[in-house]
Amino acid sequence: EPEVTQTPSHQVTQMGQEVILRCVPISNHLYFYWYRQILGQKVEFLVSFYNNEISEKSEIFDDQFSVERPDGSNFTLKIRSTKLEDSAMYFCASSEGWGTEAFFGQGTRLTVV
Amino acid sequence: GNSVTQMEGPVTLSEEAFLTINCTYTATGYPSLFWYVQYPGEGLQLLLKATKADDKGSNKGFEATYRKETTSFHLEKGSVQVSDSAVYFCALTLNTDKLIFGTGTRLQVFP
């Protein structure tokens, strides 16, 4: 069964460092998303991506964040200069079409120290 | 703004017990409602959904009914199994493909 895969499963980084979280969406999907969940809080939408551009982003997704689909298979989230409050579980998701079921990866736990 | 509120967990039950996980929502229009489940070490999976008032979503013995009058979408199962132990997330979408989630409720089922 096709699935969304995320790497790494756990990333520890020092404050101020750049980090790239990687995702391989399901191959025929066209819409891609990043969500995050700070421990004990809600899962929050970060950004959606379609046709090689951002289609929607939340107020969390500031200039420190960027997304890219560099090679037609990977979908990455970059945080330029990490802060302690960026520590969270980051989920990637993809869907075949607008409003269709989103399939989620298992998440990357980011710990900023 | 639009939001989802879930009961806090963990919910601890014995096998074959009846399960209810409460979910209420606030929305400025008519949302679609979802329950997602996350088993240990896995991603979120869609469990069931309902797109309009009075719709009942069902899957794997779980059910939830879209109640507009009480703005609720409570998850129920008549007889839980140990394999149902997971985190359950209530969510909505409204005129967008962006999901708005609750905090999640951990269910622990003991034999």
Side-chain angles (χ1 to χ4, degrees):
Chain A
E1 187 176 324
E3 60 180 13
V4 176
T5 55
Q6 291 185 241
T7 53
S9 56
H10 190 190
Q11 171 104 35
V12 181
T13 190
Q14 289 205 322
M15 193 169 53
Q17 295 296 304
E18 176 183 285
V19 67
I20 297 176
L21 308 183
R22 302 182 190 279
C23 170
V24 179
I26 294 172
S27 62
N28 64 332
H29 285 188
L30 300 177
Y31 292 77
F32 313 107
Y33 312 87
W34 284 100
Y35 290 80
R36 78 172 187 189
Q37 185 180 30
I38 295 171
L39 190 63
Q41 297 185 25
K42 298 187 176 191
V43 177
E44 302 170 291
F45 169 79
L46 293 178
V47 65
S48 58
F49 190 86
Y50 168 71
N51 201 25
N52 282 318
E53 60 184 31
I54 291 173
S55 49
E56 187 175 357
K57 62 182 181 179
S58 71
E59 56 191 31
I60 302 168
F61 195 88
D62 61 21
D63 292 345
Q64 292 300 310
F65 291 87
S66 62
V67 289
E68 195 177 31
R69 190 153 159 80
D71 55 13
S73 62
N74 289 284
F75 179 51
T76 61
L77 175 69
K78 182 194 289 186
I79 309 174
R80 248 177 284 282
S81 176
T82 50
K83 304 188 281 284
L84 294 176
E85 54 264 39
D86 293 327
S87 295
M89 181 73 89
Y90 288 81
F91 294 103
C92 173
S94 68
S95 65
E96 195 171 0
W98 194 94
T100 61
E101 180 182 349
F103 290 80
F104 283 77
Q106 80 279 21
T108 293
R109 180 167 298 285
L110 176 66
T111 302
V112 182
V113 297
Chain B
N2 303 316
S3 66
V4 173
T5 302
Q6 287 182 239
M7 61 189 289
E8 286 198 26
V11 173
T12 303
L13 294 172
S14 298
E15 206 164 26
E16 299 182 5
F18 184 85
L19 168 72
T20 301
I21 300 178
N22 289 338
C23 171
T24 57
Y25 67 88
T26 301
T28 52
Y30 300 102
S32 294
L33 301 173
F34 305 82
W35 277 101
Y36 278 79
V37 58
Q38 185 180 30
Y39 299 103
E42 299 184 18
L44 283 77
Q45 303 172 23
L46 179 63
L47 180 60
L48 53 84
K49 69 178 183 181
T51 57
K52 61 183 190 297
D54 300 325
D55 268 3
K56 178 187 283 189
S58 61
N59 186 25
K60 299 182 182 179
F62 291 89
E63 292 183 342
T65 301
Y66 188 142
R67 302 276 188 213
K68 192 174 78 166
E69 63 276 12
T70 53
T71 61
S72 65
F73 193 55
H74 304 322
L75 183 68
E76 296 182 335
K77 187 174 185 183
S79 176
V80 292
Q81 306 301 309
V82 173
S83 56
D84 293 327
S85 297
V87 182
Y88 292 82
F89 294 89
C90 187
L92 67 82
T93 59
L94 183 60
N95 301 323
T96 176
D97 56 348
K98 172 181 78 177
L99 285 156
I100 296 172
F101 284 94
T103 49
T105 302
R106 181 174 299 280
L107 171 65
Q108 297 174 322
V109 181
F110 293 96

